C-alpha cells in the first residue's frame, strides 16, 4: 500500500492543538468515551520497614563518585549492580534511585551516560521529584535498563555505569547536602543510600525518611492469547517468504513521502544478528539526484491496529553508513491509515520521527512524536499535536506508544516523552510501519554516493491493553524466553 505521509514540520505555523478547527474539535471530543479502564496493580514491599530493604532481595548496589567536591559542575554517581541471588536477574526489572537536593526550587536537571559496560543505549535515566522532601533530598535520579541490557548470572555484575547529571543551565551545583552523595567513596563500595527495586518491590537500600521508591510491579500477560502482534524479525532476506506470510509488505511502489522521483527498493531491507537477536536493517541511499535516491519502507499489509500498546526497539544513526553526511533524513516508527479526502476526520497517524541532520526548519538533530487528526495536502493544512526533543538520539531506543479512550502517550526508553489529548484519537484501524527517507535534496551538491541505516530489533502490539514500559519489557522477555519468533493473534478489523 502507499503510505501517504504528511508532516507538521512542513508548515511550522500549524503545530499545536490550538490550530485545529473548533467544529472538528467539538465533534471529535463528543465521540470520545468518557471513562478509561484502569487496572489497579498492588505492590508488596520486601522490607520490614517502609523505604528500606537489605541485600536479601537478590542484588546489591555499589557506588562511587568521580566528582568529590562539595560543589561541582555536575554530579557523577557511578554504579554497579551485582546479582547476589541464585537465579538470573533480568536487568529490565531493576531500578536504582540516587537522592539529592535541588540547588533552587525551580532548578531543572539533565541526565547523561558517559560510558557503561552494558552500553549507554541500554541505560535509562529519569529525574524526578520526591513526594515528601527532606533536608537532604527533594529530587532523585532513577536509573533503569532496556531489554537490551540482558540478564545477570548469579554472582555477576553490570560493570561500570559512569553516569552524571547537571543543571540545565550548567550553573554550579552543591553536592555536600545530597542524601546519596559520599565524597569519600572514590572506589566502588556498597551504598545503602542508593535504593534498588526489582519489578516494583524495594530490595536494596534505604530511601529518605517518608519516601518509598516502590512502584506497582509489572503484571504481564504471558506470550500467546488473543490480540497480540509480536515479531522478532527472524528472517533471512527481503525475499524470505515468511515476511509476506507473517503479514508484512516490503515497499516497492513509487510515491511519497520524500524526494519526488525516488524509488523504494526492497533489496535495501536486510537482516543480521546483533547482541544475540536478529535485527532488520533499512538502508536509504542517494547520489544527490532524484533518480539516484532510494528510500525504504516495511509495513503491515493489514490495517487492523487501533487502541492498545505499540512498542519497537529501534536504532537511530546520526552518521551515514558510508559516504559524506548532511542529507535531511527521516527515521521512523509509526502507525497510519489512509486519507480518504482532504481534511477527512477519520484519518489517523501516530509517529516517532528522528531527523539526525534536521529539516523542516530545524538546523540539527531532533526527535518528534506527532499525533495527527487530519490534513490537506494541497494547499497544505495540518491538524496535529507534537512533542519534540532537540538532541541526539543516536543508538538503540525502546519506543512505546499507548492509545486508550482518553489520550495518546509516547515513551522513549521508559520515560514519558509526550501526552496528546483525546481529540486526536483514531476512529479507524491503522497499519504499523517503519520507513527511512530523505525530505529533499535541497542544498546538496555532492554526487558522491552515501547511505544511511535504521535498524529494528522487534515490534510488539497488544490490542486494547495499555502497558507500562516495564510491562512491555517483561512481555518481550517472556516471548524470547519461550523462543517465540512471531505471533499474530490480532483479529482482522
Amino acid at each position: 500500500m502507499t503510505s501517504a505521509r504528511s508532516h507538521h514540520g512542513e508548515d511550522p505555523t500549524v503545530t499545536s492543538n490550538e490550530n485545529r478547527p473548533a467544529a472538528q474539535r467539538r465533534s471529535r471530543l463528543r465521540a470520545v468515551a468518557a471513562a478509561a479502564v484502569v487496572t489497579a496493580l498492588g505492590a508488596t514491599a520486601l522490607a520490614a520497614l517502609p523505604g528500606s530493604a537489605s541485600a536479601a532481595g537478590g542484588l546489591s548496589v555499589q557506588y562511587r563518585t568521580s566528582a568529590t567536591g562539595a560543589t561541582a559542575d555536575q554530579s557523577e554517581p557511578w554504579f554497579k549492580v551485582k546479582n547476589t541471588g541464585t537465579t538470573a536477574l533480568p536487568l529490565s526489572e531493576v531500578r536504582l534511585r540516587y537522592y539529592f537536593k535541588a540547588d533552587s526550587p525551580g532548578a531543572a536537571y539533565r541526565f547523561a551516560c558517559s560510558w557503561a559496560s552494558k552500553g549507554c543505549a541500554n541505560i535509562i535515566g529519569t529525574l524526578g521529584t520526591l513526594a515528601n522532601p527532606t533536608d537532604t533530598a527533594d529530587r532523585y535520579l532513577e536509573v533503569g535498563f532496556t531489554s537490551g541490557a540482558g540478564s545477570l548470572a548469579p554472582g555477576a555484575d553490570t560493570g561500570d555505569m559512569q553516569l552524571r547529571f547537571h543543571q540545565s543551565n550548567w550553573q554550579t551545583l552543591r553536592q555536600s547536602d545530597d542524601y546519596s552523595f559520599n565524597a569519600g567513596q572514590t572506589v566502588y563500595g556498597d551504598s545503602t543510600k542508593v535504593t534498588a527495586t526489582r519489578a516494583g518491590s524495594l530490595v536494596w537500600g534505604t530511601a529518605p525518611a517518608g519516601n518509598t521508591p516502590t512502584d506497582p510491579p509489572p503484571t504481564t500477560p504471558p506470550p500467546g492469547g488473543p490480540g497480540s502482534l509480536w515479531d522478532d524479525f527472524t528472517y533471512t532476506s527481503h525475499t524470505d517468504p515468511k515476511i509476506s506470510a507473517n503479514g508484512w509488505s516490503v515497499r516497492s511502489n513509487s510515491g511519497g513521502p520524500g524526494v519526488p522521483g525516488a524509488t523504494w527498493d526492497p533489496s535495501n531491507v536486510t537482516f543480521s544478528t546483533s547482541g544475540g537477536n536478529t535485527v532488520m536493517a533499512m538502508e536509504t541511499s542517494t547520489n544527490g539526484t532524484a533518480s539516484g535516491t532510494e528510500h525504504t519502507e516495511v509495513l503491515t499489509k493489514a490495517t487492523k491496529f487501533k487502541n492498545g500498546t505499540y512498542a519497537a526497539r529501534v536504532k537511530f544513526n546520526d552518521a551515514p553508513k558510508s559516504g559524506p553526511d548532511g542529507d535531511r533524513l527521516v527515521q521512523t516508527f509509526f502507525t497510519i491509515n489512509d486519507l480518504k479526502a482532504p481534511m477527512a476526520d477519520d484519518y489517523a497517524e501516530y509517529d516517532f520521527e528522528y531527523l539526525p541532520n534536521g529539516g523542516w526548519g530545524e538546523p540539527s538533530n531532533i526527535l518528534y512524536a506527532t499525533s495527527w487528526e487530519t490534513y490537506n495536502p494541497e494547499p497544505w493544512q495540518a491538524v496535529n499535536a507534537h512533542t519534540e526533543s532537540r538532541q541526539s538520539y543516536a543508538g538503540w531506543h525502546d519506543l512505546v506508544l499507548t492509545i486508550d479512550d482518553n489520550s495518546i502517550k509516547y515513551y522513549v526508553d521508559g520515560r514519558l516523552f509526550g501526552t496528546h489529548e483525546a481529540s486526536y484519537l483514531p476512529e479507524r484501524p491503522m497499519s504499523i510501519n517503519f520507513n527511512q527517507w530523505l525530505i529533499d535534496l535541497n542544498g546538496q551538491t555532492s554526487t558522491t554516493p552515501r547511505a544511511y541505516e535504521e535498524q529494528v530489533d522487534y515490534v510488539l502490539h497488544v490490542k486494547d491493553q495499555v502497558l507500562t514500559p516495564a510491562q512491555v519489557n517483561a512481555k518481550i522477555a517472556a516471548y524470547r524466553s519461550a523462543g517465540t519468533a512471531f505471533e499474530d493473534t490480532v483479529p482482522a478489523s
Side-chain angles (χ1 to χ4, degrees), residues 59-63 77-82 89 91-99 111 123-128 140-145 158-159 161 163 180 188 191 193-199 201-205 213 215:
L59 64 83
S60 63
V61 180
Q62 293 188 322
Y63 155 82
W78 294 8
F79 302 113
K80 288 182 180 180
V81 175
K82 182 175 182 180
L89 174 65
L91 285 171
S92 62
E93 296 182 0
V94 177
R95 293 288 185 270
L96 313 181
R97 281 193 181 179
Y98 176 95
Y99 303 90
F111 164 81
I123 307 298
I124 303 166
T126 304
L127 292 149
Y140 61 82
L141 167 66
E142 182 170 280
V143 179
F145 303 86
T158 57
M161 290 186 283
L163 312 180
S180 297
Y188 280 111
S191 175
K193 287 196 170 183
V194 177
T195 59
T197 58
R198 178 177 180 180
S201 293
L202 183 62
V203 294
W204 175 267
D215 296 311

Side-chain angles (χ1 to χ4, degrees), residues 415-435:
R415 183 168 63 180
L416 183 63
F417 184 84
T419 301
H420 299 157
E421 66 178 39
S423 56
Y424 297 93
L425 292 172
E427 285 104 346
R428 290 191 292 118
M430 302 168 287
S431 62
I432 296 175
N433 304 49
F434 300 90
N435 65 18

Side-chain angles (χ1 to χ4, degrees), residues 40-46 199-202 212 214-218:
L41 302 175
T44 303
L46 300 183
S201 293
L202 183 62
T212 175
T214 56
D215 296 311

Side-chain angles (χ1 to χ4, degrees), residues 89-95 118-125 143-151 161 312-314 395-399 412-415 457-458 469-470 472-474 476-477 480:
L89 174 65
L91 285 171
S92 62
E93 296 182 0
V94 177
R95 293 288 185 270
K118 290 290 184 181
C120 281
N122 292 315
I123 307 298
I124 303 166
V143 179
F145 303 86
T146 71
S147 58
S151 298
M161 290 186 283
R313 189 159 193 258
V314 175
W396 285 104
H397 296 283
D398 289 310
L399 308 178
V412 178
D413 296 330
R415 183 168 63 180
D457 183 10
Y458 65 78
V472 168
N473 287 339
I476 291 162
R480 286 181 162 165

Side-chain angles (χ1 to χ4, degrees), residues 255-268:
V259 176
T263 59
W264 296 79
D265 189 348
S267 68
N268 288 334

Side-chain angles (χ1 to χ4, degrees), residues 231 233-237 240 242-243 246 248 271-272 278 486:
D231 203 331
F233 294 111
T234 308
Y235 304 110
T236 56
S237 73
D240 189 331
K242 291 193 300 182
I243 295 177
N246 288 347
W248 295 100
F271 301 88
S272 60
T278 301
F486 175 79

Side-chain angles (χ1 to χ4, degrees), residues 37-50:
V37 177
V38 179
T39 301
L41 302 175
T44 303
L46 300 183
L49 296 174

